[in-house]
């Protein structure tokens, strides 16, 4: 079911009214008590800037999750920016990861991270100057590069650029949401079709998923969305962990019966 929203103002601030209390998302978020607690009027006083990374192995639902999160927060009245997957942009220009030499792969990852940071910073700067609540949703983040390199090559890049996990991981992003690859527990849905830069076998996808997970361990707001449910519920869980975060948005949902 697709949620529809309407807005109204009263003396306590902006309220969002979901048209149907029987929606799957309403049920997943736990009904009135949890929603009202997360979006209490007391939290309406300060503006929020939230920076979220969607990570995980291939075919995990990151791109679709980015769209769903965007729609959800846009309906709440937030300004939403979507930072695209930088690797996809670069590889669409003719780069094939399996054709790169070791040194080319190292250089490519270093340049990719620099490009990613520049693209993200463009949205971050816009967010910092906005008068509205803003969420920036990034399709992968800076630490994902470590999943594609040997540990010593990754450390070389970090040292060369004076980077460290605190600045690249903990201070840069508000929350990390790991969308587990379909190759881990939903193998029948894993596919490389209709994706120009996806070439990994299910075995390779599982390995990359594990490496991506390890890359973000240590972030204070790190959530894993596995394949224990169907895909639609998986997307609702993605929205749910964002709204349940300690850095959650400052709106209240009011459900109409």
């Amino acid at each position: 079911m697709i949620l529809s929203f309407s807005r109204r103002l009263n003396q306590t601030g902006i309220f969002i009214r979901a048209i149907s209390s029987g929606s799957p998302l309403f049920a997943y978020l736990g009904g009135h008590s949890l929603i009202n607690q997360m979006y209490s009027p007391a939290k309406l006083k300060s503006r929020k800037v939230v920076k979220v990374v969607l990570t995980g192995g291939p075919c995990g639902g990151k791109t679709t999750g980015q769209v769903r999160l965007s729609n959800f927060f846009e309906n709440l009245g937030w300004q939403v920016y979507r930072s695209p997957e930088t690797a996809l942009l670069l590889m669409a220009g003719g780069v094939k990861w399996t054709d790169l030499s070791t040194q080319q792969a190292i250089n490519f990852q270093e340049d990719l991270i620099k490009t990613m940071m520049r693209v993200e910073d463009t949205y971050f700067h816009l967010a910092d100057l906005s008068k509205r609540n803003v969420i920036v949703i990034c399709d992968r983040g800076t630490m994902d590069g470590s999943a594609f390199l040997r540990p010593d090559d990754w450390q070389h890049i970090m040292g060369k650029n004076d980077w460290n996990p605190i600045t690249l991981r903990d201070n840069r992003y508000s929350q990390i949401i790991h969308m587990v690859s379909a190759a881990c527990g939903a193998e029948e849905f894993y596919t490389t079709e209709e994706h120009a830069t996806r070439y990994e076998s299910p075995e390779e996808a599982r390995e990359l998923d594990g490496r991506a997970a390890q890359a973000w361990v240590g972030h204070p707001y790190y959530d894993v969305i596995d394949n224990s449910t169907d895909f639609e519920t998986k997307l609702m869980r993605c929205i749910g962990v964002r709204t349940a975060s300690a850095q959650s948005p400052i709106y209240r949902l009011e459900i109409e019966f």
Side-chain angles (χ1 to χ4, degrees):
M1 180 184 297
I2 298 176
L3 290 177
S4 58
F5 296 89
S6 62
R7 297 181 177 86
R8 68 181 176 86
L9 287 173
N10 65 14
Q11 55 264 50
T12 60
I14 300 177
F15 283 69
I16 307 300
R17 175 175 294 174
I19 300 303
S20 173
S21 62
S23 69
L25 182 57
F26 173 70
Y28 178 76
L29 291 179
H32 291 288
S33 60
L34 178 58
I35 290 172
N36 287 339
Q37 178 183 358
M38 292 190 303
Y39 300 99
S40 64
K43 295 184 178 180
L44 289 168
K45 296 180 180 179
S46 61
R47 185 181 68 91
K48 292 275 189 177
V49 175
V50 179
K51 303 166 185 176
V52 178
V53 169
L54 296 178
T55 186
C59 197
K62 295 184 295 296
T63 302
T64 307
Q66 188 182 49
V67 173
R68 295 294 184 89
L69 276 173
S70 297
N71 292 340
F72 181 83
F73 281 95
E74 284 172 350
N75 281 321
L76 291 178
W78 281 52
Q79 174 68 61
V80 178
Y81 294 118
R82 295 169 291 277
S83 185
E85 184 176 359
T86 309
L88 184 62
L89 297 176
L90 297 180
M91 295 177 78
V95 178
K96 189 173 182 180
W97 181 255
T98 52
D99 290 342
L100 300 181
S101 67
T102 299
Q103 190 57 52
Q104 284 179 317
I106 294 171
N107 292 347
F108 179 75
Q109 281 297 334
E110 181 179 1
D111 290 335
L112 187 155
I113 293 169
K114 291 177 179 178
T115 304
M116 177 187 293
M117 294 173 72
R118 190 68 189 93
V119 172
E120 290 178 352
D121 286 344
T122 300
Y123 296 114
F124 293 169
H125 294 159
L126 289 172
D128 289 339
L129 294 175
S130 176
K131 295 182 179 179
R132 299 167 59 187
N133 293 313
V134 185
I135 181 170
V136 183
I137 309 169
C138 304
D139 192 336
R140 294 200 178 279
T142 49
M143 292 298 293
D144 280 307
S146 65
F148 297 88
L149 295 174
R150 297 182 306 177
D152 55 339
D153 292 333
W154 175 250
Q155 291 302 321
H156 171 74
I157 291 177
M158 296 268 280
K160 178 182 176 182
N161 292 278
D162 197 26
W163 294 336
N164 64 73
I166 301 300
T167 56
L168 287 187
R169 182 191 65 202
D170 302 344
N171 294 344
R172 187 169 181 84
Y173 307 106
S174 309
Q175 183 180 14
I176 313 301
I177 301 177
H178 183 108
M179 303 290 284
V180 174
S181 170
C184 306
E187 290 82 359
E188 65 271 27
F189 298 108
Y190 182 79
T191 180
T192 59
E193 296 179 3
E194 299 181 2
H195 198 292
T197 62
R198 182 179 296 157
Y199 55 86
E200 300 89 353
S201 67
E203 293 76 16
E204 291 170 329
R206 283 191 284 270
E207 183 178 356
L208 283 174
D209 193 271
R211 291 180 181 177
Q214 185 62 37
W216 295 101
V217 170
H219 193 282
Y221 296 96
Y222 175 68
D223 294 280
V224 177
I225 310 298
D226 62 17
N227 296 302
S228 59
T229 60
D230 61 58
F231 187 63
E232 283 299 316
T233 306
K234 182 179 183 179
L235 295 174
M236 293 176 197
R237 291 160 59 207
C238 175
I239 296 174
V241 297
R242 175 54 240 151
T243 57
S245 168
Q247 300 187 42
S248 189
I250 54 175
Y251 289 105
R252 172 186 172 190
L253 293 176
E254 184 178 280
I255 306 302
E256 182 181 66
F257 289 93

